[in-house]
Amino acid sequence: MWNEAVQTLPHAELERLQLERLQRLVATLHARVPFYRDRMDALGVAPSDIHTLADLARLPFTSKADMREGYPFGLFAVDPSEIVEVHMSSGTTGKPVVDGYTRADLEVWGDVMARTLDMGGVGRDDVVQNAYGYGLFTGGFGVHHGARAIGATVIPISSGNTVRQLQTMVDFGTTALTCTPSYAMFMAEHARDMGVDVRSLKLRAGFFGAEPWSEAMRADLEAKLGIKAFDIYGLTELIGPGVGAECEQQDGLHIFEDVFYPEIVDPVTGEPLPPGTQGELVLTAIGREGSPVLRYRTHDITYLMGEPCPCGRSSRRIHRLMGRNDDMLIIRGVNVFPQQVEEVLLRVQGVEPHYRLIVERDGSMDTLTVEVEMSEATFSDEIRVLVHFERQLESDLKAALGIQAACVLVNPRTIERSEGKAKRVIDRRELSNAR
Ligand code: DLL
């Protein structure tokens, strides 16, 4: 096991380490970052008030808006000369969030990503085809630092150029693939077109994340690619990938909690919630130097799993992410996550895992339409059969979501494919309100 000493620390020792790191972090942020000092002062809490891990709840939260306000270096906790690498979110919905890494942070990143890859059995002899985007996005470099720490051969192919991806997979004997689950699905489809049977290649593991995906999508990817598919999690604000990952049990994601301290809070009140109760994941970067964030509100919905994992790692696990509470659709008062729809569609024969959700407003009524691609075989069926199929899917969706949704089968290959994060929801309600 990679870094076994840390990963199997008895719980009491892990907590001692966490408290020590938390106290140091809070003291550093108070001393060096005016933003955090002002927040702590406003709440009347000082570094000397942090005696136990439970005292974390007394500290202020940090939001994406706070991080944007600090753009570019306002929340850095070290002198700019200490920063050796930066990454940044895409900033499509506002100012980007910048993450600054010191040399020690890059060591930490390499270590947590090495743990991630090692959990899926990657070692020195492996060939890692890294199809996450390289550049400001954290996916490419995060995997790269981890693969290098392990000593595997890393192919820094980045995302896109799917024909070359598959050719490389064949020629280089790729054993592990890293990319978003939607891009992996696109590669599987392309391979079929090119007459490449990926199952007969050397590929045996996939490390998929950066977007929500369902258990049904995992089963589909594992069958089509002949691999074990591992869920990996992270976000720019904390480090990028390397916050948590699945071990060989594939049952929840271990949070690397000597570096990232997890809490689950009620999304409305911010109150901490006990294990087993679903809420918003909040993370504190207790093991970072450059831009360590305090109690970051991720908006990601999950719960802490109670039982220790049979794999022997002592870190706590979170259930695979249900989605983001800001991506959750509220349709006629019912909460709907896109993955719930994905689960239903992928369990049905005759449709492909390419779909989108369209939400509209008809008068005061919200409507949900689910478009899903037919398989080539379904496409050749009679209209009568297709209509029957749509009604069947609608009844399955009703049973799973609790609301009526219209299902429309669309022709094969008409829904846009993604090389990075897929965009599956089109919400036209705000547009129609403006009219
Ligand atoms: O997506 C970092 C990353 C790269 C993770 C490669 C895994 C692999 P951001 O672009 O800042 O960073 O997006 C972070 O993506 O808050 C989640 O909502 C979502 N996300 C990331 N991993 C998963 C996952 C990277 N495994 C945001 N399941 C997060 C569900 C995920 N959602």
Side-chain angles (χ1 to χ4, degrees):
M1 187 186 299
W2 188 265
N3 203 344
E4 185 162 345
V6 165
Q7 295 209 73
T8 58
L9 266 185
H11 212 77
E13 277 179 54
L14 177 59
E15 289 192 345
R16 207 171 313 136
L17 177 70
Q18 288 171 326
L19 179 60
E20 207 180 281
R21 289 188 171 172
L22 176 65
Q23 287 170 328
R24 199 180 330 139
L25 173 70
V26 174
T28 305
L29 293 180
H30 194 269
R32 298 205 191 143
V33 188
F35 164 80
Y36 287 113
R37 183 167 50 238
D38 293 349
R39 284 289 170 92
M40 286 185 221
D41 291 352
L43 287 180
V45 52
S48 56
D49 294 328
I50 306 303
H51 305 293
T52 67
L53 287 169
D55 290 332
L56 187 58
R58 302 178 58 185
L59 292 163
F61 289 120
T62 308
S63 68
K64 192 188 260 306
D66 295 329
M67 301 201 72
R68 284 177 172 158
E69 230 163 89
Y71 176 88
F73 306 143
L75 267 57
F76 283 17
V78 295
D79 188 79
S81 64
E82 300 286 311
I83 300 291
V84 295
E85 189 168 314
V86 287
H87 286 278
M88 199 153 94
S89 66
S90 61
T92 38
T93 51
K95 270 212 182 113
V97 170
V98 184
D99 194 350
Y101 307 74
T102 63
R103 227 170 250 291
D105 286 335
L106 290 188
E107 288 290 318
V108 168
W109 203 9
D111 181 70
V112 286
M113 282 309 295
R115 295 186 209 176
T116 298
L117 295 168
D118 169 72
M119 280 169 159
V122 169
R124 287 176 55 89
D125 297 334
D126 278 278
V127 178
V128 179
Q129 184 162 333
N130 186 11
Y132 283 113
Y134 277 69
L136 288 169
F137 178 54
T138 53
F141 276 85
V143 170
H144 193 99
H145 294 317
R148 191 173 51 183
I150 285 182
T153 305
V154 56
I155 311 173
I157 192 164
S158 202
S159 58
N161 200 339
T162 310
V163 171
R164 188 173 63 176
Q165 297 278 357
L166 291 160
Q167 196 60 53
T168 306
M169 204 179 277
V170 174
D171 296 345
F172 287 40
T174 301
T175 56
L177 174 67
T178 57
C179 61
T180 58
S182 52
Y183 191 38
M185 192 55 82
F186 184 17
M187 279 192 211
E189 180 183 55
H190 229 83
R192 199 175 54 192
D193 294 349
M194 286 166 68
V196 175
D197 179 8
V198 179
R199 288 167 308 173
S200 67
L201 303 180
K202 289 192 176 155
L203 193 69
R204 58 185 173 71
F207 297 85
F208 305 135
E211 64 183 2
W213 55 308
S214 63
E215 211 41 60
M217 177 76 97
R218 186 213 303 271
D220 205 36
L221 283 169
E222 290 191 332
K224 284 182 175 149
L225 298 173
I227 59 170
K228 267 188 103 168
F230 297 92
D231 194 1
I232 73 172
Y233 170 73
L235 54 165
T236 314
E237 290 82 353
L238 270 297
I239 201 164
V243 172
E246 284 180 336
C247 65
E248 67 277 8
Q249 304 286 328
Q250 295 178 303
D251 181 19
L253 290 83
H254 287 270
I255 296 290
F256 303 125
E257 49 168 330
D258 52 311
V259 186
F260 306 104
Y261 191 85
E263 300 170 87
I264 300 288
V265 305
D266 181 312
V268 179
T269 65
E271 286 305 311
L273 296 172
T277 307
Q278 188 170 310
E280 178 178 347
L281 179 63
V282 169
L283 292 162
T284 298
I286 54 174
R288 291 278 320 273
E289 285 183 349
S291 47
V293 64
L294 189 62
R295 302 194 84 203
Y296 183 68
R297 300 284 300 248
T298 65
H299 288 286
D300 290 320
I301 300 296
T302 180
Y303 60 87
L304 282 165
M305 297 169 66
E307 295 296 304
C309 185
C311 76
R313 289 174 182 83
S314 50
S315 48
R316 285 173 292 172
R317 286 169 296 160
I318 53 167
H319 184 270
R320 74 179 309 142
L321 291 115
M322 327 277 179
R324 299 179 55 81
N325 57 10
D326 43 10
D327 280 354
M328 184 181 76
L329 297 165
I330 304 179
I331 297 167
R332 303 197 288 276
V334 176
N335 300 347
V336 176
F337 283 112
Q339 289 106 291
Q340 292 174 285
V341 174
E342 182 177 292
E343 279 280 347
V344 172
L345 299 177
L346 265 70
R347 296 204 186 281
V348 173
Q349 293 283 323
V351 294
E352 294 290 319
H354 302 288
Y355 64 94
R356 44 181 215 165
L357 276 54
I358 300 169
V359 192
E360 285 166 311
R361 180 156 292 159
D362 185 4
S364 61
M365 177 89 157
D366 293 337
T367 61
L368 171 63
T369 305
V370 176
E371 291 185 350
V372 58
E373 279 183 20
M374 297 176 254
S375 65
E376 299 283 351
T378 311
F379 186 45
S380 55
D381 281 341
E382 287 173 37
I383 295 283
R384 191 167 45 83
V385 179
L386 296 182
V387 170
H388 178 72
F389 196 10
E390 283 175 343
R391 297 298 86 81
Q392 182 58 48
L393 279 169
E394 283 171 0
S395 120
D396 293 351
L397 286 168
K398 174 98 204 271
L401 309 177
I403 54 157
Q404 191 72 44
C407 181
V408 178
L409 291 171
V410 299
N411 291 351
R413 292 162 206 259
T414 47
I415 290 178
E416 197 187 342
R417 302 295 189 256
S418 151
E419 294 170 351
K421 298 184 190 238
K423 181 160 172 42
R424 305 208 193 268
V425 177
I426 298 169
D427 195 336
R428 298 199 178 116
R429 285 179 293 187
E430 275 167 28
L431 285 177
S432 46
N433 273 346
R435 258 192 264 134

